[in-house]
Every structure is written in C-alpha cells, then in structure tokens.
Amino acid sequence: MDYSILVEAYEKLEKTSAKLKKADIIATLIKKTPYDSLDKTVLLLNGKVFPVWSEREIGVANQLMIRAIMRSFGSKKQEVINLFNKKGDLGIVSEQLAKKKKQTTLGVKKLTLEKVFDNIRKIAMQEGKSSQERKLNLIAELLIHAKPNETKYIIRTILEELRIGVAKGIIRDAISKAFNIDKKIVENAWFLYPDYGKIAQIAKKDGEKGLKSVKIKLGRPIIVMLAEKAPSLEEALKSAGECGLEYKYDGMRTMIHKDKEKIWIFTRSLEDVTSAFPDLVKLAKKNIKCEKCIIEGETLAIHPKTRKPQPFQVLSQRIKRKYNIQEMIRKIPIQFNAFDIIYLNGKTLFDKMQLKRRQILEKQIKEQKGIFQLSKMIITNNLEKAKKFYNEALRAGQEGIMVKRLNAKYQPERHVGYWWKVKPTMENLDLVIIGATWGTGKRTGVLGSYILGCRDAKTGDFLECGMLGSGFKEKKTEEGDVTLKDMTKMLKPYIEYTKGNKVKIKPKIVIEVAYEEIQRSPTYKSGYALRFPRFIRLRSPEKSAEEADTLGRIKYLYSIQKGKKK
Ligand code: AMP
C-alpha cells in the first residue's frame, strides 16, 4: 500500500481534536486497507512498528536525525538547528527543507507503507559497531524517496513522537465502526491479544465471531487489572464490602506465564523481561505446581544481607538489563509475592471471584518463604484490624495495603472498584522552576515540561529534583486555573538562555507540587527525584524562591517515606 494513503490520514487526524471525527477518519482508512497491510497500518497509526510487548526500541536521538536531514537534503547544520529552535519539531523542519530542495529528485519512486515499516524496524535492529552509520543510511533512504509531507511523519515515527492524538480508545472505536462490531467485543478481544493491528485483521476476516473466539495464548501478555486510589482506609473498606487486605509491595507488577518447562515474564506495560530475570524463571519452574498457567504477583528487590524490601528504583536497575545479569542477581536479589491467578490449564479464570482465585492460587504455589511466596493477606472489614494490618505493612517497609473485594471478577484495565490501594500520601512541596522545554506540535511556542529545583540552605543554590509537566488546565474555566500559556507568560521574562529547545530560567517562580514518592537520583544535582510530580497551585508571588522547600526537607521526607522511621 502507498505510504501516502496513511499520510493523508495523518494530516486529517492532526487537524482535528474531536475523538469521534478521529475514529471516523481511521475507520475509513482501515476499511479500504488490504488485509495484509492492516496490522502494519494500525501499528503506524499508533506511531509504532512493534507490538507493545516487544523489547525493541527504535533508539534514534535528535542529533542523529539532524545528520540524516542534512545528508538527505544537503542542508547546513546551523540551518537545521535554527529551524528546529523555531519550530520545535524535526518533522516540520524536514518538511520545509525537503520542499526547498529541487523537486525533481524527490518522490520519484512511490514509497510504500511496507518499505517505511521495514526500514524503521531495521533501524531498531542495528547494534554494535557502525550501527549509527547504518541507521543514518536507513533513515536517509526513506527521506530521499519521500514527498515533503511524508518526511514529516517518517521522522516523527522514528523519533517516537507522532503527535497525531490517536489513543488506543480511538483505534478501538474505529475498528468497531469499520466492521460494525460492538466496542466491548473489540476491547475484550484486545485484553487477551493487546495488538490492535492483529485485532483489526481478525475483525476484517472473521468479524464478531472471530473476535469472540480470541483466546489467551501463553507467551503473549494480556492487559492486567488495575487498582483505584482510596481516599482513606475507612473509605476503601466501605467501598469494597467483604474484602481481603494484602500487603502492597513496591516492586514490579509481574505476570508469569508457564507452559510446562517454558516461562515468560511480563511487566504491567506488557514488556517481555524474561531474559533479565533468569532467577525468577528458575523459581517459577520450581515453585509453580501447575503445567500451564498465568500467575500475577509483585517482584521486589530485597537487600542481599538484611533481606529487607528495597524501593522500586533499586529493582528498576534490573528490569531492562541486557548485560552483567548474573552480577546483578547477586547484588540485587529478588522476592516474588504472588497475588492472583488468571489462567489455569487451558481455562481463563476471569469469571471466578477474587476469593476463589486466591484459593486456586494457594494450591498452585509451593511457598519458599521470603523468596517465592503468596502475598500476605487477611480477610476482614473491621477498621481496627485493618489499621493494625496497614501499620504492620508500613513497618515491614512495604508501600501500604491493597483492599480487594472478595466477590469481584478479574476485570482487565478498568478501575472498577474491585481493588483499592491505600498508602500514605506525601506532603506537597513548594519548589522553584529553574528550567523548561519548549513544547512541540500543538504546544509550539509554549513552555512544557518544567525542571523543579529545591533550595540548598547552605549555598542558596537551587538544585534539580524533578521534571513536571502535568496538573495544568487546558482552558481557564474557573478562577485560579493555571494553563501552560499562563506559565509561559510568567516565566518568559526570567529566561536566562536557550539551548536547543531547552531553556534555563532564573529561580523566581514557586509552585506547589504533589508527587507519589521521592527517589534517590544519580542524575539530578540534589540527588533526589520526585516520582510523578503534579502541579497543584502557584505560590508566587506570596512565596519567594528563598522561602521554597529545601534539600534538607526532601531528605527528611525521603527518610520517613513508607514508614521507614516507624
Ligand atoms: P499503583 O501502581 O500505585 O497504581 O498500584 C497498583 C500496583 O500495585 C499493581 O499494579 C501492582 O503492581 C502493585 N501491587 C503490589 N502489591 C500488590 C497486591 N498485593 N495486589 C495487587 N497489586 C499489588
């Protein structure tokens, strides 16, 4: 199929923000896409060339892309960089430079969607010596043959920032529309086969019947059930009714697939991390009794000597590791805490109730205490007992507890109120904005992600401790709403200098920030990083930068986090 057909759809998608319209555009496209190109088309609509569970990353940085643009259009480096600083999007830069280049040599051979797809996949496969050069050639080959508007989307896809606003819900709606199948049926099939490209193909070939017969396949991850945040333990108990309480471990959500001697390990975002965890593979083989099953649990890093739980960031050093795996196994040993079973010997257990699934799970796990065990659980809805259990979890160094309704099915993805998480909330911090990045696409001309700084009380310097981009309003609807535009207007006078799309900002503007957790950070100057920081409100002009929270405060909050001091 011609790549230009997809690009035509990209352009239409970029022009509208209405979800219904987007779904219509995609439905029209996938209806006319031949079966064989459909899986690739849908992946590319999502800006991807690999399904979500693939370990592959395209791995091209702006610098390499700038070289590819220079090579393809004979442009000077400074010209590319100047345009990039102005536009904030190398896709647009390339489109403009391609237009400038003599038209005769451009677009001679029509680019096919397959060629674009294959070249981008090849880029991701390049490793080792002179891989940069090979990547460069593969990109340039596409750019040289593409029309100017096609280069824009090729570049954005390679840089993994397509920015056409197509979330997975829109693709689901489009498939439903194109083949006239109920959304729920499309989504249920996707839970078990999370690749809308393949789902679209099944829908095209075998319709509703085909989608309804999609089954779990061992070795292919499925969408997992999520939890809701409870405002308090009391509320959680009220909402859940008859419930089981479990320790909430701060590690990696882990889905173990077992097919006799074969084991796969997937994360919550469906990545296959089997090769990084040979120790867990061994434990699963030894301690899971059934032949074929999917067991869910949380993998924790534990201290090699004290065997105490370590924060998630310690484990994160192991998650995508390709080298020195054995050494890491020694340095960062793990513990697996099983909490659910969703498939057993050919049968899906989604319709079994929470308590029943737990009972089945208990029969399938041979516990090895402290290493491969069942999550700690009690059954109660007595508030006093629950409080005791919660405090015990915090004292044991865990994150909090999960409250699970006992008569609830397993419902992938939805926050349906079957699982509630209860954990201590961290107090907000007042921090100073010391840097930012110019936005791209729809956010061109607006400062986007902000670098947060805390005050070093000794030197008076402001030290980086996080990057914040969320919590702002799209539009002003109420008094006190703050948009990115407001922030930009406020910060602009304090810009010290610009480098690429990044700006350094004088420490003047103080904002209140909420976050999930404080982590140690080797990259930020403060040595700490806020996890998932969120803008709460402006503190300037009432609060000056000199009154912002200090590094000492962050250190203290870090030390008491997760009940460490209790
Ligand atoms: P959160 O990541 O804060 O949304 O909390 C939900 C996550 O807690 C799940 O995705 C699991 O990775 C993790 N978790 C830890 N312990 C448990 C448990 N006992 N039951 C379910 N999820 C758990």
Side-chain angles (χ1 to χ4, degrees):
M1 187 167 108
D2 285 349
Y3 185 58
S4 59
I5 298 177
L6 178 63
V7 168
E8 207 180 294
Y10 281 151
E11 287 181 328
K12 286 187 193 151
L13 288 164
E14 217 180 331
K15 278 191 198 119
T16 174
S17 55
K19 284 188 183 160
L20 270 174
K21 192 112 186 275
K22 282 184 191 275
D24 279 341
I25 296 165
I26 298 175
T28 311
L29 172 72
I30 59 182
K31 248 200 260 177
K32 67 180 176 200
T33 303
Y35 176 84
D36 286 336
S37 305
L38 197 50
D39 52 348
K40 295 188 176 102
T41 304
V42 173
L43 273 180
L44 285 170
L45 277 166
N46 252 321
K48 297 216 161 18
V49 289
F50 296 105
V52 258
W53 59 84
S54 168
E55 289 175 81
R56 293 268 172 208
E57 277 167 16
I58 301 175
V60 171
N62 282 350
Q63 288 315 315
L64 188 69
M65 192 53 90
I66 289 174
R67 280 172 61 200
I69 293 172
M70 287 158 55
R71 179 178 295 186
S72 308
F73 310 123
S75 322
K76 294 255 176 349
K77 188 169 182 181
Q78 207 45 52
E79 185 183 12
V80 182
I81 290 176
N82 288 347
L83 254 180
F84 180 36
N85 285 343
K86 222 161 48 204
K87 301 287 176 193
D89 178 336
L90 282 172
I92 297 177
V93 170
S94 160
E95 184 180 21
Q96 291 201 354
L97 293 171
K99 269 187 197 154
K100 255 175 79 180
K101 201 187 160 187
K102 42 189 184 324
Q103 293 292 313
T104 45
T105 50
L106 286 172
V108 190
K109 203 163 74 182
K110 267 194 172 171
L111 259 188
T112 64
L113 181 133
E114 284 73 16
K115 174 72 185 162
V116 174
F117 189 88
D118 290 348
N119 266 37
I120 302 181
R121 274 203 166 185
K122 279 186 199 152
I123 292 169
M125 309 286 187
Q126 302 309 315
E127 279 172 13
K129 225 176 123 207
S130 51
S131 60
Q132 294 296 308
E133 192 55 32
R134 288 194 301 273
K135 284 184 185 179
L136 202 58
N137 289 337
L138 285 160
I139 303 172
E141 189 191 4
L142 292 178
L143 296 187
I144 287 165
H145 290 109
K147 297 196 193 93
N149 61 342
E150 293 172 356
T151 70
K152 170 164 141 193
Y153 296 100
I154 290 172
I155 284 180
R156 287 184 178 178
T157 308
I158 296 174
L159 292 175
E160 298 182 89
E161 41 189 38
L162 188 59
R163 298 196 211 106
I164 53 165
V166 175
K168 54 184 191 291
I170 293 177
I171 304 245
R172 173 201 60 207
D173 295 355
I175 295 174
S176 150
K177 223 171 227 165
F179 307 113
N180 201 14
I181 302 172
D182 187 65
K183 276 182 206 176
K184 276 242 141 299
I185 296 171
V186 178
E187 188 172 64
N188 282 336
W190 174 77
F191 286 153
L192 307 182
Y193 196 168
D195 177 347
Y196 272 127
K198 296 290 179 206
I199 294 297
Q201 279 185 320
I202 297 170
K204 185 164 190 124
K205 196 155 156 245
D206 298 317
E208 185 174 317
K209 210 167 124 243
L211 290 182
K212 279 187 169 161
S213 55
V214 168
K215 297 220 158 39
I216 285 184
K217 183 169 166 268
L218 291 172
R220 189 175 66 202
I222 63 166
I223 302 292
V224 299
M225 171 147 150
L226 300 173
E228 276 190 67
K229 205 172 196 165
S232 66
L233 182 53
E234 207 170 347
E235 290 291 324
L237 293 181
K238 252 194 238 151
S239 312
E242 277 298 305
C243 56
L245 315 184
E246 293 177 29
Y247 276 12
K248 184 178 191 307
Y249 304 93
D250 183 23
M252 170 182 84
R253 173 82 171 251
T254 309
M255 211 190 317
I256 300 180
H257 287 216
K258 180 173 186 245
D259 187 356
K260 295 184 187 141
E261 279 306 289
K262 183 101 181 83
I263 303 280
W264 294 265
I265 296 165
F266 297 104
T267 65
R268 164 177 171 163
S269 50
L270 313 187
E271 273 178 294
D272 184 342
V273 292
T274 315
S275 56
F277 289 93
D279 43 349
L280 186 54
V281 169
K282 219 158 130 192
L283 286 169
K285 278 188 194 164
K286 203 170 113 201
N287 299 302
I288 299 176
K289 296 181 194 161
C290 45
E291 285 218 317
K292 290 170 185 261
C293 62
I294 300 179
I295 285 178
E296 278 206 86
E298 191 86 351
T299 304
L300 272 191
I302 50 171
H303 193 280
K305 292 216 177 79
T306 63
R307 316 294 290 172
K308 287 238 168 83
Q310 302 282 290
F312 171 74
Q313 78 211 76
V314 176
L315 182 75
S316 70
Q317 298 172 55
R318 287 201 49 187
I319 294 179
K320 282 193 181 175
R321 184 156 286 273
K322 294 208 173 88
Y323 312 103
N324 302 334
I325 290 174
Q326 289 306 325
E327 189 193 328
M328 290 311 270
I329 290 178
R330 272 195 307 280
K331 269 199 189 151
I332 307 177
I334 52 161
Q335 174 188 90
F336 179 75
N337 299 282
F339 55 70
D340 219 319
I341 180 161
I342 44 187
Y343 179 84
L344 179 65
N345 300 333
K347 289 212 178 76
T348 303
L349 306 180
F350 284 9
D351 286 338
K352 297 257 184 283
M353 297 299 141
Q354 179 76 46
L355 184 60
K356 182 77 195 158
R357 295 200 309 279
R358 174 76 189 198
Q359 288 160 349
I360 299 173
L361 176 72
E362 286 176 3
K363 288 200 191 104
Q364 300 304 334
I365 300 278
K366 199 167 91 205
E367 279 198 293
Q368 207 177 334
K369 279 286 175 205
I371 296 177
F372 197 96
Q373 57 191 7
L374 290 153
S375 61
K376 185 141 188 191
M377 184 187 82
I378 60 165
I379 293 181
T380 186
N381 38 18
N382 174 298
L383 184 61
E384 284 317 308
K385 282 190 189 149
K387 272 188 189 157
K388 217 171 131 214
F389 187 70
Y390 177 65
N391 287 328
E392 178 194 306
L394 294 182
R395 268 197 308 274
Q398 311 299 355
E399 207 183 351
I401 59 172
M402 300 289 291
V403 176
K404 297 185 178 177
R405 181 184 293 187
L406 291 179
N407 66 345
K409 294 179 181 180
Y410 190 92
Q411 173 60 57
E413 203 184 35
R414 290 285 144 69
H415 299 273
V416 274
Y418 294 166
W419 285 3
W420 297 89
K421 51 187 176 189
V422 185
K423 54 185 183 181
T425 42
M426 300 293 291
E427 74 176 51
N428 293 350
L429 286 167
D430 290 333
L431 298 167
V432 185
I433 296 177
I434 54 175
T437 309
W438 285 111
T440 50
K442 273 195 209 123
R443 289 187 170 178
T444 306
V446 178
L447 289 169
S449 348
Y450 303 106
I451 299 172
L452 302 170
C454 59
R455 195 162 51 84
D456 182 338
K458 281 191 206 127
T459 60
D461 288 344
F462 291 90
L463 309 173
E464 293 164 10
C465 61
M467 183 86 119
L468 172 143
S470 62
F472 299 100
K473 292 278 185 300
E474 284 290 321
K475 273 193 217 132
K476 259 182 170 353
T477 45
E478 272 174 47
E479 194 52 39
D481 283 352
V482 179
T483 64
L484 287 177
K485 258 198 187 146
D486 297 329
M487 291 301 293
T488 308
K489 209 165 143 202
M490 208 173 335
L491 291 165
K492 246 182 168 172
Y494 303 120
I495 294 180
E496 283 187 294
Y497 59 83
T498 305
K499 202 171 165 194
N501 57 344
K502 300 199 163 41
V503 294
K504 172 117 180 43
I505 296 174
K506 273 193 205 140
K508 290 281 180 204
I509 304 295
V510 183
I511 59 174
E512 184 178 325
V513 176
Y515 52 93
E516 295 246 318
E517 194 188 352
I518 302 173
Q519 299 182 323
R520 294 305 296 261
S521 160
T523 41
Y524 288 136
K525 275 209 186 109
S526 65
Y528 295 87
L530 304 185
R531 199 165 165 217
F532 304 127
R534 216 169 56 251
F535 171 83
I536 298 293
R537 62 185 173 132
L538 273 174
R539 300 308 315 272
S540 295
E542 291 89 37
K543 205 162 198 180
S544 71
E546 285 65 40
E547 293 170 284
D549 277 311
T550 59
L551 177 59
R553 184 82 197 140
I554 293 189
K555 278 187 183 161
Y556 170 72
L557 290 173
Y558 175 79
S559 76
I560 59 163
Q561 182 168 280
K562 283 189 220 135
K564 270 187 191 141
K565 274 208 164 164
K566 289 184 183 152

